[in-house]
Amino acid sequence: MEVQLIPLDHIVEDPDQPRKGYDEENLHGLAESIRRYGVLNPITVRPLPDGETYQIVTGERRWRAAQIASLTLIPCIVKSLDPAQATTEQLIENLQREDLAPIDKARALKQLKERERLTNRELAQMLGLSERTIGIWLGLLELPEEVGEQVVSASGRPPAGTITESHARSLLELDDPELQTRVAEKIREEELTSGETAALVRTLREDPDRAEEILDQPTEQVLAAVAELRGPALEVRKLRRYIEGLDVASLHPS
């Protein structure tokens, strides 16, 4: 595919780009690399109706860094795409980037789903993802906005106290936004693992009338008390299953 050199000031960003934030330190690091070696990978743009301006499809980070590096031209691959096709290409590229915030993925998926009137299954097939993954990401939009914004990808071993997608799956099992927010606070403050969060959410669902009391206590104490209470009951259930599995007739030969 032909690569063209296009003036930076003839290119504009896409306001619907899934990626919303850029790390300034990393951006300046990329700019320094561009000063030394140039832009090694062309960005992708699409022509706008005025015939002079191009809109970025993929590569906005490189375009921004090229501006910092004081370049006047940038190598581009020009594609004639409609907005839906451009969104699809952006989403596919960004889904391959581990540093894109899950909430940004979720917003882009929702936009694409609504624009193309797709089911979750159709969206999954289009993007080469599982339907379950699509459901999890879209589910982030059902969380309180301030909680959804804090969810990070689990890749790269995020620090303790971070709300990951695994934590978010447990939060989505709670119907009350206030409870979701309270549990999210405990994840951060008590540095709960995803397993501890799942156990806490299960306890809240099993005993909703005591939710306030449960959340006012340290999660470690709550889970220890629950484990102690469940111990005898678990042994009784195991014994019952064992007895039910026996061939009773064989125990009483005629």
Side-chain angles (χ1 to χ4, degrees), residues 115-164:
R115 178 182 289 172
E116 297 299 304
R117 298 181 181 180
L118 300 172
T119 64
N120 281 10
R121 176 171 296 182
E122 290 168 339
L123 190 57
Q125 291 172 343
M126 173 187 287
L127 300 172
L129 298 169
S130 70
E131 189 174 350
R132 179 174 179 270
T133 297
I134 295 294
I136 290 170
W137 278 337
L138 289 176
L140 297 180
L141 299 173
E142 299 174 15
L143 293 171
E145 185 175 359
E146 67 274 16
V147 175
E149 293 280 359
Q150 295 169 25
V151 178
V152 302
S153 172
S155 61
R157 294 187 179 181
T162 301
I163 303 176
T164 67

Side-chain angles (χ1 to χ4, degrees), residues 242-253:
Y242 173 73
I243 293 173
E244 290 173 348
L246 291 175
D247 184 352
V248 179
S250 68
L251 299 178
H252 300 281

Side-chain angles (χ1 to χ4, degrees), residues 52-66:
E52 296 181 358
T53 311
Y54 299 84
Q55 186 178 72
I56 298 172
V57 177
T58 61
E60 183 175 333
R61 183 168 170 268
R62 276 164 280 161
W63 174 72
R64 290 177 179 272

Side-chain angles (χ1 to χ4, degrees), residues 76-120:
C76 302
I77 294 173
V78 180
K79 291 186 176 181
S80 296
L81 303 171
D82 61 33
Q85 291 170 324
T87 299
T88 302
E89 285 214 10
Q90 290 166 348
L91 183 56
I92 291 172
E93 185 199 50
N94 281 304
L95 286 172
Q96 296 170 349
R97 299 184 63 90
E98 293 183 350
D99 59 345
L100 182 68
I103 194 66
D104 285 341
K105 294 179 183 178
R107 288 169 178 149
L109 286 169
K110 181 183 179 184
Q111 179 185 355
L112 183 58
K113 178 180 177 179
E114 292 178 347
R115 178 182 289 172
E116 297 299 304
R117 298 181 181 180
L118 300 172
T119 64
N120 281 10

Side-chain angles (χ1 to χ4, degrees), residues 174 176 179 200-217:
L174 297 169
D176 185 345
L179 284 183
L200 175 59
V201 167
R202 184 166 57 249
T203 301
L204 289 167
R205 286 170 57 86
E206 291 175 352
D207 200 355
D209 293 338
R210 296 182 58 229
E212 195 65 31
E213 180 183 347
I214 291 169
L215 291 172
D216 281 343
Q217 300 178 59

